[in-house]
Amino acid sequence: MRGSSRVHGDITGSRLNAAESVFRLVRTIPSGRVMSYGQIASELASRLSPRAVGWMLHRCPDDVPWHRVVNAAGGCSTDRLPDFPQGLQRAMLEAEGVAFRDNGTLDLERYRWQPGRRRRR
């Protein structure tokens, strides 16, 4: 397997540091706000693919608010996982005041959190 690349790209630095970078960033997302998997990948200088970010969050520590990370359309990707309770992520976000549209997505313009930027009112 030497010389072959990983399915989701090569990770520079240690794997533990990559996972901890994701967890550290997700821990900073305020209640009632979200980030997308791709946005997290970009914030981490694309060290990981959005899909790799998702898989890391699927097995994250209990203190990581994984439910505040959604797909690029503003939907809950966890509903597609066979080992995950349907509607759990949405219910957790709704409990924080996030409203969903009839199509099951949230308004990313309204709820997206961007680290280092103040929220417009």
Side-chain angles (χ1 to χ4, degrees):
M1 295 297 288
R2 193 171 195 177
S4 64
S5 64
R6 295 170 25 93
V7 172
H8 299 297
D10 294 323
I11 298 174
T12 57
S14 75
R15 291 171 194 242
L16 177 63
N17 287 340
E20 273 308 312
S21 294
V22 169
F23 301 153
R24 196 173 313 129
L25 180 56
V26 173
R27 284 182 188 112
T28 67
I29 304 171
S31 177
R33 304 301 297 277
V34 299
M35 290 180 76
S36 71
Y37 300 104
Q39 184 184 0
I40 289 170
S42 294
E43 287 287 329
L44 299 176
S46 298
R47 290 179 61 204
L48 302 166
S49 70
R51 184 169 288 181
V53 169
W55 281 112
M56 285 183 177
L57 291 175
H58 189 63
R59 301 277 187 244
C60 68
D62 290 340
D63 68 329
V64 176
W66 58 267
H67 64 284
R68 295 181 185 149
V69 183
V70 297
N71 65 34
C76 298
S77 294
T78 57
D79 285 344
R80 292 187 242 156
L81 299 173
D83 62 337
F84 218 82
Q86 286 278 318
L88 176 62
Q89 182 177 15
R90 179 177 175 153
M92 292 174 77
L93 288 169
E94 287 177 330
E96 294 181 354
V98 175
F100 283 79
R101 298 181 272 221
D102 291 340
N103 68 359
T105 63
L106 55 87
D107 182 352
L108 281 172
E109 291 296 317
R110 179 175 180 189
Y111 296 108
R112 183 190 308 270
W113 182 70
Q114 297 188 355
R117 296 191 185 136
R118 293 184 57 102
R119 184 177 183 179
R120 293 183 297 197
R121 294 202 180 243

